[in-house]
Amino acid sequence: MARTFPRRLLGGALLLAALVVAPPAGAAGFLATAAISAHIPILAAAGLVTMTGTGFLLASPALKLLGARRSRMVALLAAVGLTAVIAGLAAATVFRPGSAPSTAPAPEGVRFWDLPTGSRIAYVHAAAAGKPRPTPVIFLHGGPGTPGEGIPVGGEALAAAGFDVYAYDQLGAGRSTRLDDVTGYTVARHVADLEAIRRVIGADKVIIVGQSWGGSLAAQYLAAHPGNVAKVVFTSPGTLWPGANPDNDLSQLLTPAQRERHDELTESPRMLTTFLLLGINPEAAHALVGDREADERFHELALVSKDAGSCPGTPSREPHGNRQGFYVNQVTSEDFRQVPDPRPELRRIGVKALIMRGSCDFIPWKSTYEYRRTLPGSTLVPIAGAGHAIAGDQPAAYTRLLQAFLTDRPLPLPAHDSADPPR
């Protein structure tokens, strides 16, 4: 009896270990296989085999110590049974597709460029009124992957002042191309698309207006093609170079209710698995959750936080129906962290630049001022009563600044030259 008790205790511990260790081992096998394959059936098979094998290797000696007859056969049956239960749970959670609504037809006025880069880009155009000016204006939306709908705020006023105005859905967002190989969503590809657009519209130079991430992209384009930019406007620009500034986290501004919904959308087993796969093999993530489903989830996230970056008391903005781009957001953001520092090149460029910053912008002041400090021909103008979306919070002030800067008139609001934030 004295010898039997320790054996049974050890056997019980091994059996418990089989129950506890086998499921994580299966998950590890699934994820490890993603490093060499993007085929979900292969990943799932690897996970099932790893889980069953781990369960059997632990349960077999456990049952032998417990004195079970035909312990190996019983251990194999137990391991298969455990794997079947976990597989059923995974089928109901990780592998169960979410909602994936069909893309709505493009509204009137949306046209497409088929660029030599291979991108099919959706765009809208406001033609210049009266005597046209020689340099068109191109608006760059934020995100990456969060396009607007139609001509942006201020665009019609610029068209009335003689500018041809364009706004387009960047690759992977809105109504533009979704890539089969999501690793192709790089900063260099976005820069190449913008350069191709300049050529397609026949412009020697362009004026760029970049909002948030669009400002980061504008800076990358300016560094790569300084001779092709007449003027540039950075509106609540994102990070100039990630190596110099910390990440900007809008989610910190969410209310408890918004945070709960945010977590619900991002922490489901299916989405957690997708995020893990993105870090290992983005193509495997794409195979698990396709564009329409991922974009719908990303759109819902955008609705949760759409007003979080505004000043307190600002009226809520109505959402639009243009599709967000999940994979272009995730993959481009990761690629952006690897790009070379553009600041040495930008310091040598004398292109006139206007930097707008809202008083309630969640982007750190240091990040915004980096543009003013880097670009020798830049002017920084704070705008009271505006958050990250200046055009939505203070459209009149935003439009007046655009018009004045682009038509070489005195700016209607004072510039800020100090490295310290305005009070």
Side-chain angles (χ1 to χ4, degrees):
M1 180 68 180
R3 294 181 180 181
T4 304
F5 180 73
R7 288 171 58 87
R8 290 182 175 178
L9 184 62
L10 179 58
L14 283 174
L15 195 59
L16 179 61
L19 294 172
V20 172
V21 173
F30 175 90
L31 294 172
T33 308
I36 58 174
S37 176
H39 296 285
I40 298 302
I42 293 176
L43 272 59
L48 294 175
V49 169
T50 303
M51 188 186 312
T52 302
T54 302
F56 172 75
L57 290 174
L58 291 171
S60 182
L63 291 171
K64 186 175 182 180
L65 288 168
L66 291 171
R69 295 181 180 181
R70 304 182 68 181
S71 58
R72 292 174 63 85
M73 178 60 70
V74 174
L76 179 59
L77 292 175
V80 170
L82 176 62
T83 299
V85 171
I86 299 301
L89 292 174
T93 55
V94 174
F95 299 106
R96 182 180 181 181
S99 62
S102 300
T103 304
E108 186 177 354
V110 175
R111 289 177 276 181
F112 293 87
W113 290 306
D114 290 306
L115 302 179
T117 58
S119 301
R120 180 171 172 79
I121 297 295
Y123 74 97
V124 289
H125 174 215
K131 183 179 179 181
R133 297 175 185 266
T135 309
V137 177
I138 300 178
F139 283 83
L140 302 180
H141 65 71
T146 56
E149 186 80 282
I151 295 295
V153 171
E156 296 291 352
L158 294 179
F163 293 97
D164 270 307
V165 175
Y166 297 89
Y168 70 94
D169 298 345
Q170 294 161 27
L171 176 71
R175 297 176 182 86
S176 292
T177 303
R178 298 299 192 277
L179 295 178
D180 292 331
D181 179 2
V182 297
T183 61
Y185 293 128
T186 64
V187 176
R189 176 65 175 266
H190 289 297
V191 170
D193 280 348
L194 181 51
E195 172 61 6
I197 289 169
R198 181 192 67 82
R199 293 174 179 269
V200 165
I201 63 178
D204 292 332
K205 292 189 175 186
V206 292
I207 296 167
I208 302 174
V209 181
Q211 157 69 25
S212 192
W213 148 255
S216 304
L217 176 56
Q220 290 289 320
Y221 181 83
L222 181 60
H225 303 283
N228 298 341
V229 181
K231 290 182 179 180
V232 60
V233 179
F234 300 98
T235 306
S236 303
T239 300
L240 180 59
W241 183 58
N245 293 292
D247 290 338
N248 308 309
D249 188 6
L250 177 61
S251 65
Q252 295 177 352
L253 304 178
L254 299 180
T255 66
Q258 291 171 331
R259 166 63 67 181
E260 182 178 357
R261 177 58 176 159
H262 176 277
D263 293 345
E264 178 186 341
L265 291 168
T266 58
E267 296 181 1
S268 68
R270 185 166 172 83
M271 288 309 298
L272 285 174
T273 304
T274 302
F275 287 123
L276 287 171
L277 289 174
L278 275 168
I280 300 169
N281 182 352
E283 281 300 280
H286 191 221
L288 177 66
V289 179
D291 284 304
R292 286 197 299 175
E293 180 185 344
D295 290 353
E296 175 66 15
R297 186 63 58 92
F298 191 44
H299 181 72
E300 291 177 15
L301 277 172
L303 294 180
V304 170
S305 59
K306 67 182 177 65
D307 298 317
S310 296
C311 291
T314 302
S316 177
R317 288 184 295 276
E318 290 296 320
H320 58 75
N322 204 359
R323 285 175 62 191
Q324 319 290 326
F326 174 80
Y327 286 106
V328 70
N329 175 272
Q330 296 293 306
V331 179
T332 303
S333 296
E334 182 58 33
D335 181 68
F336 186 40
R337 297 184 182 97
Q338 317 302 323
V339 298
D341 187 352
R343 294 175 299 172
E345 180 63 32
L346 293 173
R347 291 187 183 108
R348 296 191 289 267
I349 296 171
V351 173
K352 290 184 66 176
L354 172 64
I355 307 156
M356 298 189 208
R357 177 186 172 85
S359 59
C360 301
D361 197 349
F362 69 90
I363 301 287
W365 169 259
K366 178 183 177 183
S367 182
T368 304
Y369 193 77
E370 189 71 22
Y371 285 81
R372 174 66 186 87
R373 193 167 70 90
T374 300
L375 294 161
S378 64
T379 301
L380 171 59
V381 177
I383 301 177
H388 190 59
I390 300 173
D393 292 341
Q394 295 292 337
Y398 173 80
T399 300
R400 288 197 304 270
L401 274 168
L402 274 182
Q403 287 180 299
F405 178 71
L406 298 188
T407 57
D408 297 312
R409 292 185 284 113
L411 298 180
L413 293 173
H416 184 84
D417 293 322
S418 173
D420 297 322
R423 296 182 178 179

